[in-house]
């Protein structure tokens, strides 16, 4: 039986997890071609921070080596970018003129870093933090330059600053609001995080709006100017202010795109021959950036590519469990505090903070700092909408203490 042809555009974690799942279900169904713009196999982008910090090497974070693709009969086309999808002929064209026909096409084009379009943003000493080339550029610059400004006080920005601190570089985090990680933490946990990171040598400029990045010449930066008139001298600027779905190719091909590529519950686009997974998709109005939903999308999509699929992708609540520069953090649910009863535990000497949010005797949100071991239990209570009226007095002390009692 002649195999069908599957072309995967994008050699990142979501696309390759889909290929892995497909190989488990139907290893002989497709001749698979994977096209990626980077000249490598698939690697774990989540682990770029340890590479930046010098704790790991690039080889340590590779998930699929070139040999892996060969061993599984997959054609890897690396270092090339798809520039056109001809849906009527079912062909894709790369920037080097190669044409690949397909019976099924999987778009896993991921996302692109957002660069604030202030004057000076296009200087070569202004970089993003998205791939291994970005890490190499940072390290090359910081061999000779010692002051770095990181624009963005989210997880990515803090990890970049922490990695460079470990390299002996002076790092200042710039954030446009007064609280770090304001999407994941309440204000008190954010200020505890700021305190702990400052004790480790990280500097901050919060509530600051960047006006322009000023260069001394074509190779060297001078400073950042802020809208309040203040200045910050720097040799390198790292933009870590978020990502946007990479949808240019899908738009060009005439697929339906809103904020990202629109997909059904089967991860199918409006062209039945084309599927999409990962950060480039929009499902029932939502966009995605965490690994867990991307891997669930991959599992569902693989069942349909294997034509044994009855699965549907269902969005699930996600918790944020993070270890930022050695500080344990957890948040889940709604912690805005609106119409909620709030109970708080503060243990300053132990560096522990817990804030739980309840509505109608049900846990609806949790923020933990320092001690996160009960995060999964709180997350389960939130997801199940368990009545915690009988647990209220012990709830802050966690599952283990309650079990002991």
């Amino acid at each position: 039986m002649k195999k069908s042809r599957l072309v995967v555009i994008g050699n990142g974690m979501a696309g390759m997890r889909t290929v892995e799942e497909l190989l488990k279900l139907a290893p002989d169904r497709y001749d698979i071609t994977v096209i990626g713009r980077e000249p490598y196999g698939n690697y774990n982008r989540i682990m770029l921070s340890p590479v930046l910090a010098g704790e790991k090497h690039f080889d340590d974070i590779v998930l699929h080596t070139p040999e892996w693709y060969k061993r599984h009969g997959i054609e890897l086309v690396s270092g090339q970018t798809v520039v056109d999808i001809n849906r009527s002929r079912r062909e894709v064209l790369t920037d080097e003129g190669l044409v690949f026909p397909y019976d099924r096409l999987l778009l896993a084009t991921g996302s692109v870093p957002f660069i604030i379009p202030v004057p000076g943003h296009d200087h070569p000493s202004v970089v993003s933090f998205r791939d291994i080339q970005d890490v190499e550029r940072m390290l090359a610059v910081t061999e000779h330059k010692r002051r770095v400004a990181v624009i963005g006080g989210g997880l990515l920005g803090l990890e970049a600053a922490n990695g460079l601190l470990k390299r002996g570089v002076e790092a200042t985090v710039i954030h446009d609001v007064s609280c770090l990680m304001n999407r994941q933490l309440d204000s008190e946990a954010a200020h505890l995080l700021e305190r702990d990171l400052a004790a480790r040598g990280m500097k901050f400029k919060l509530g600051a709006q960047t006006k322009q990045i000023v260069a001394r010449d074509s190779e060297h930066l001078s400073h950042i100017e802020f809208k309040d008139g203040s200045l910050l001298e720097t040799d390198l600027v790292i933009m870590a202010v978020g990502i946007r779905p990479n949808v240019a190719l899908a738009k060009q091909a005439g697929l339906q795109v809103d904020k990202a590529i629109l997909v059904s519950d089967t991860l199918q686009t409006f062209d039945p021959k084309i599927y999409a997974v990962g950060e480039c998709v929009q499902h029932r109005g939502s966009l995605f950036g965490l690994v867990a939903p991307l891997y669930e999308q991959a599992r569902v999509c693989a069942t349909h590519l294997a034509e044994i699929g009855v699965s549907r992708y269902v969005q699930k609540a996600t918790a944020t469990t993070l270890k930022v520069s050695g500080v344990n953090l957890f948040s889940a649910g709604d912690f805005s505090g609106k119409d909620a009863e709030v109970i708080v535990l503060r243990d300053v000497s132990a560096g522990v903070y817990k804030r739980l949010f309840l509505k109608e005797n049900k846990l609806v949100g949790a923020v933990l700092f320092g001690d996160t071991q009960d995060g999964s239990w709180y997350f389960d209570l939130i997801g199940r909408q368990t009545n915690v009226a009988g647990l209220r007095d012990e709830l802050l002390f966690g599952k283990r203490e309650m079990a002991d009692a």
Side-chain angles (χ1 to χ4, degrees), residues 190-230:
H191 286 117
L192 289 170
L193 176 62
E194 180 188 348
R195 180 200 66 187
D196 281 16
L197 295 179
R200 298 164 192 238
M202 199 176 294
K203 298 182 179 181
F204 300 96
K205 189 171 179 62
L206 304 180
Q209 303 278 338
T210 301
K211 180 179 179 181
Q212 63 176 330
I213 300 167
V214 180
R216 284 195 283 126
D217 52 46
S218 61
E219 295 183 3
H220 303 92
L221 293 181
S222 172
H223 60 269
I224 297 175
E225 181 181 352
F226 299 97
K227 291 184 178 179
D228 64 3
S230 61

Side-chain angles (χ1 to χ4, degrees), residues 85 92 197 199 320 324 327 341:
I85 300 171
V92 301
L197 295 179
T320 302
V324 181
V327 180
E341 177 190 3

